[in-house]
Amino acid sequence: MNCILISPKIILSKHKTINHVVEDNWFKYLSKKKVKLLPVNVKSFQKKDLAELKPKAVILSGGNDLPIIINNKANTIREKNDNFLFKYAQSKRIPILAVCHGFHFVAKKLGAKIIKI
């Protein structure tokens, strides 16, 4: 079964715990395509762990803001996760699907000027 890595949205609960959230629609859609979706938290994985899975792509999903727009703990954690996956995808030369937040992140990484309106 093919594997795709996904960067989850980061939410801080009212009890100040960090939650990694992936919308159920991603799992439903990709399971129909017989693709295993693996949410990645930078603290849980290292590049060598991911290499064993041989992922076919990376999804930088929606949710959160870039820290340059709103600097808070959730956005900073998300940026670290996205940075890890972005570098991994580049090093393995696998495609990146960037959605909403993910697209802003990639644009910033590639030198686009991001401004707060």
Side-chain angles (χ1 to χ4, degrees):
M1 180 180 276
N2 289 328
C3 174
I4 293 179
L5 309 176
I6 189 167
S7 176
K9 178 168 62 171
I10 306 297
I11 298 174
L12 294 177
S13 74
K14 64 181 179 181
H15 304 294
K16 304 296 181 205
T17 60
I18 299 167
N19 297 305
H20 297 80
V21 179
V22 176
E23 292 180 18
D24 192 44
N25 290 338
W26 285 111
F27 290 101
K28 287 179 182 176
Y29 177 76
L30 290 170
S31 69
K32 290 178 186 175
K33 304 292 182 188
K34 301 203 182 333
V35 173
K36 180 180 177 183
L37 186 63
L38 180 64
V40 174
N41 170 3
V42 71
K43 290 185 177 184
S44 301
F45 288 93
Q46 296 195 1
K47 288 184 181 182
K48 63 181 180 177
D49 301 325
L50 298 177
E52 292 174 14
L53 298 169
K54 297 181 182 168
K56 301 293 184 196
V58 166
I59 299 172
L60 299 178
S61 66
N64 295 98
D65 288 302
L66 297 176
I68 62 170
I69 303 297
I70 298 176
N71 191 7
N72 61 33
K73 187 175 181 177
N75 294 339
T76 301
I77 292 168
R78 175 69 190 268
E79 181 141 316
K80 286 178 185 172
N81 283 347
D82 289 350
N83 223 358
F84 174 76
L85 284 172
F86 182 81
K87 288 178 182 177
Y88 180 80
Q90 282 190 316
S91 71
K92 297 297 181 185
R93 302 181 62 92
I94 58 176
I96 298 172
L97 172 63
V99 179
C100 200
H101 162 86
F103 185 81
H104 295 138
F105 174 83
V106 170
K108 179 182 161 247
K109 290 293 286 183
L110 297 178
K113 183 176 179 180
I114 308 293
I115 58 171
K116 184 176 181 177
I117 307 178

